[in-house]
């Protein structure tokens, strides 16, 4: 079941494979924090990284109950347009699983990257 927050973000799975996933996040005006350049708020990108890592672990057959740790690096502003998040499982564990995520625009320009650690129980 998809949570109301995930539905509100408007996430769309583009590709799902074992231990890997690609998710599209269409730009919305509600995401803007810097109105001068219409940049998406960093919290939206952090949530996208977190959820993409979570779904990558699930795609690999892992069970996720909560995020244990999240690291995010911002490289460029995400402005108008869809952003793509690609998540790949680094380690699928019984208690903690880890996934790396890269967020790009549709031209493959790196906007943000991160790593999440997810608890199984």
């Amino acid at each position: 079941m998809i949570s109301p927050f995930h539905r509100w973000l408007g996430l769309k799975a583009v590709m799902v494979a074992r231990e890997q996933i690609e998710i599209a996040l269409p730009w919305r005006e509600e995401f803007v924090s810097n109105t001068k350049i219409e940049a998406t708020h960093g919290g939206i990108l952090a949530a996208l990284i977190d959820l993409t890592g979570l779904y990558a672990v699930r795609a690999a057959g892992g069970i996720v109950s909560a995020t244990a740790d999240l690291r995010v690096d911002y490289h460029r502003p995400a402005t108008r347009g869809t952003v793509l998040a690609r998540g790949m499982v680094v380690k699928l564990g019984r208690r903690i699983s880890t996934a790396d995520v890269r967020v790009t625009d549709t031209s493959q320009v790196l906007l943000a990257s991160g790593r999440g650690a997810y608890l199984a129980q």
Side-chain angles (χ1 to χ4, degrees), residues 2-3 5-17 19-28 31 44-60 78 81-89 99-109 111-112 118:
I2 295 176
S3 79
F5 180 64
H6 300 191
R7 273 196 311 275
W8 178 81
L9 285 173
L11 304 176
K12 299 190 184 341
V14 175
M15 181 274 300
V16 179
E19 299 185 8
Q20 192 172 345
I21 192 164
E22 182 175 73
I23 294 176
L25 175 68
W27 185 88
R28 293 201 340 242
F31 295 165
I44 296 293
L45 296 177
L48 177 61
I49 288 169
D50 184 25
L51 296 173
T52 301
L54 178 149
Y55 286 129
V57 169
R58 282 185 166 178
T82 297
V83 295
L84 301 169
R86 289 176 192 85
M88 181 175 286
V89 173
D100 282 340
V101 179
R102 293 174 50 89
V103 178
T104 64
D105 62 15
T106 55
S107 299
Q108 302 302 309
V109 173
L111 306 173
Y118 305 92

